[in-house]
Amino acid sequence: KSSSEVAERLEENGHQNKRLKRDADEEDVEDQNKKSPKRKIVLLMAYSGKGYHGMQRNVGSSQFKTIEDDLVSALVQSGCIPENHGEDMKKMSFQRCARTDKGVSAAGQIVSLKVRLIDDILEKINNHLPSHIRILGLKRVTGGFNSKNKCDARTYSYMLPTFAFARKDHDVQEEVYRLDKETLEKVNKLLACYKGTHNFHNFTSQKGPKDPSAKRYIMEIYCGEPFVRENIEFAVIKVKGQSFMMHQIRKMIGLVIAIVKGYAAESIIELSWGEEKVDVPKAPGLGLVLERVHFEKYNRRFGNDGLHEPLEWTEEEEKIAVFKEQYIYPTIINTEREEKSMVNWLNTLSIHDFNSSVVGMQANHKNLK
C-alpha cells in the first residue's frame, strides 16, 4: 500500500478511537445523570451574614458579595447542578424563602431548587462552603413547590444590648446597665401594639400609604428575659409574621427604642398606621436573625401523604443551636463590642424630628374633624 493510504487509514483509526472515547465519556455522564436524576428539594441553611450584602444574588455585580454567590458556587463544584444553572438560576427553579438584608444572619433559611441527588450530597456541598455558611438539612418536596410562595409565616429574632432601652437623660455605662422589670414590661406593651394587621408603609422606604401590599399581619412579638454575655446584658425580641417588607422589623424595633428612651411619644405608633409620613428610625441590622420559616398549609396537605415529609426540622434543632452559639451570637456580641453599632445608632436618635410629624398629623386630624 502507498504511504498516503497507510496515513489515511491511521488517521481514520485515530478519529475513530477519539470518537469512541468521547462517546464513552458522554455515556458515563449520562449514566451518572440517570443514577442521580434532578429532583425538587429544599435545603435548610444557616449563615452568619456579616460581610455580605444580604442573601439574594445580584448576577453581574461581583463587588457586592451575597450568601447565594457562595451557595451557587458550592452547588456547581459539588456536582449537584450544571455550571450554566449557576449563571441562570431559573434553570434550577431556585427560590429563597426570605431575602435577608445586608449583614443579617439566618439560623433557619429555606431554599427550594432542582438538583441531582448525588451521594453524600450535604457533605459535598458543605465541603465547598465557608464554615460560617452551613447546609443543615435536606428534604424532597413536590415538583411545583416554591419556598417563597408556600411559606405562610416567618419568625425573626433581634438580639440587642439592653442599654438601648435606658432613658435618654440617664448617663449610661454600657457594661453596667441592667434592664429592670418595669422597663421590660413597657417594651412588651409597646411591641404588642404591632400585633394584628396594620398599614406598615412608614416602616419601609418602598411603599406608599395607599399600596395594599403595605398591609402586613403580625402574629406574635415580644422581648424575652435579659441575659449577660461578655459582661454586656442582652435581650432577644422575637417576631412572627406572615411576611415582612425591607427594613420593616428594624424600624418596628427602632421606633419602640425611641419611645422607651423618651425621644418620641407613645401615640406615634398608632399615628404611623395613618397616611401621613412619619420619621421612623431604623435599628442596626447586626442583631437581626431569620430564625425559622413556617409551612403549615403545605404540611397539612402533603406532610402525611405517604410520599413527602412534613417540612419540620426537629432532628436538626441541635445543629441549629450549635451553629448559633458558634457563629451567630459571637459575631453579634463581638461586632457590638468592637464597632459599637448600637451605641453609634442611639446617638443619631436625637436628630430624628418625631414631634413635627406628630404635630402635623394632629393638626390634620383636627382640620378633618
Side-chain angles (χ1 to χ4, degrees):
K1 287 177 183 175
S2 71
S3 59
S4 61
E5 278 181 316
V6 171
E8 273 175 28
R9 184 64 58 85
L10 285 169
E11 197 178 346
E12 201 175 288
N13 287 344
H15 281 309
Q16 212 168 357
N17 288 342
K18 275 183 191 168
R19 197 161 54 243
L20 287 168
K21 187 177 185 304
R22 193 171 64 240
D23 290 349
D25 287 348
E26 282 171 8
E27 274 173 29
D28 281 352
V29 171
E30 274 177 35
D31 284 352
Q32 183 62 38
N33 289 349
K34 275 176 195 163
K35 278 181 201 166
S36 50
K38 281 207 192 117
R39 292 284 180 263
K40 181 62 85 71
I41 59 152
V42 293
L43 296 174
L44 171 68
M45 286 184 79
Y47 51 84
S48 169
K50 191 185 177 186
Y52 287 88
H53 276 72
M55 170 74 182
Q56 190 172 355
R57 197 165 186 224
N58 307 307
V59 178
S61 174
S62 54
Q63 68 191 97
F64 298 121
K65 197 178 184 194
T66 68
I67 299 292
E68 280 174 21
D69 287 327
D70 282 355
L71 173 63
V72 169
S73 170
L75 291 169
V76 171
Q77 288 177 70
S78 60
C80 297
I81 59 166
E83 203 160 330
N84 64 345
H85 284 29
E87 285 134 37
D88 183 0
M89 292 166 79
K90 286 194 194 88
K91 285 184 175 166
M92 56 171 159
S93 307
F94 186 92
Q95 190 57 259
R96 87 279 311 152
C97 217
R99 276 185 316 195
T100 50
D101 296 337
K102 180 184 172 184
V104 175
S105 298
Q109 170 74 282
I110 298 285
V111 299
S112 56
L113 66 159
K114 279 184 178 169
V115 297
R116 295 190 194 117
L117 284 174
I118 56 174
D119 295 335
D120 306 318
I121 182 167
L122 291 191
E123 191 185 331
K124 283 175 182 165
I125 299 170
N126 281 326
N127 284 344
H128 294 286
L129 283 169
S131 57
H132 55 265
I133 303 177
R134 290 290 93 179
I135 306 297
L136 302 179
L138 176 152
K139 287 184 195 286
R140 287 274 304 274
V141 284
T142 55
F145 184 87
N146 174 316
S147 60
K148 186 182 171 192
N149 299 345
K150 297 287 179 199
C151 175
D152 3 66
R154 296 151 178 89
T155 296
Y156 281 84
S157 67
Y158 189 85
M159 183 171 164
L160 76 171
T162 57
F163 61 72
F165 296 123
R167 290 283 306 177
K168 65 174 180 179
D169 42 13
H170 287 202
D171 179 31
V172 177
Q173 303 299 313
E174 287 123 48
E175 299 209 351
V176 197
Y177 181 82
R178 295 295 179 260
L179 187 66
D180 59 64
K181 198 165 173 270
E182 291 75 27
T183 308
L184 181 58
E185 279 171 9
K186 184 174 183 181
V187 169
N188 275 317
K189 183 180 148 233
L190 291 167
L191 290 173
C193 299
Y194 291 125
K195 283 186 193 173
T197 303
H198 301 284
N199 186 340
F200 282 96
H201 75 96
N202 272 310
F203 294 81
T204 184
S205 55
Q206 302 170 318
K207 313 272 181 193
K210 296 200 184 322
D211 189 334
S213 67
K215 283 202 165 74
R216 300 287 159 133
Y217 174 48
I218 306 296
M219 301 159 182
E220 191 178 25
I221 183 164
Y222 64 91
C223 181
E225 289 294 324
F227 54 91
V228 176
R229 291 280 178 97
E230 310 265 335
N231 297 330
I232 299 177
E233 188 181 67
F234 286 88
V236 173
I237 294 171
K238 283 265 177 80
V239 52
K240 181 182 180 182
Q242 213 164 30
S243 59
F244 297 94
M245 296 176 290
M246 190 178 181
H247 302 150
Q248 183 186 335
I249 296 170
R250 288 165 63 189
K251 281 181 170 266
M252 287 163 72
I253 291 165
L255 188 55
V256 166
I257 291 171
I259 294 167
V260 174
K261 288 191 83 65
Y263 287 104
E266 280 190 38
S267 57
I268 202 164
I269 294 184
E270 199 68 35
L271 290 163
S272 70
W273 315 137
E275 292 198 0
E276 282 286 330
K277 188 83 184 124
V278 177
D279 183 7
V280 177
K282 178 177 68 187
L286 175 68
L288 192 58
V289 180
L290 174 63
E291 286 287 337
R292 59 175 302 184
V293 287
H294 309 264
F295 298 96
E296 282 137 23
K297 278 187 202 136
Y298 174 87
N299 287 344
R300 279 198 298 273
R301 186 165 175 202
F302 297 105
N304 299 306
D305 65 358
L307 298 168
H308 304 96
E309 300 171 87
L311 295 182
E312 294 289 349
W313 306 95
T314 39
E315 287 173 29
E316 287 75 15
E317 289 293 345
E318 198 177 321
K319 281 194 238 172
I320 293 170
V322 168
F323 185 88
K324 286 202 290 197
E325 287 295 337
Q326 216 169 349
Y327 293 100
I328 295 177
Y329 296 152
T331 301
I332 293 171
I333 294 160
N334 295 336
T335 308
E336 186 53 57
R337 287 184 74 91
E338 290 160 24
E339 297 175 17
K340 302 206 173 291
S341 58
M342 183 55 79
V343 177
N344 295 335
W345 175 75
L346 290 171
N347 290 334
T348 68
L349 282 177
S350 57
I351 301 163
H352 288 268
D353 194 356
F354 300 102
N355 292 326
S356 69
S357 306
V358 175
V359 168
M361 279 188 291
Q362 283 169 343
N364 282 348
H365 281 301
K366 275 180 189 168
N367 292 339
L368 284 168
K369 280 176 186 173

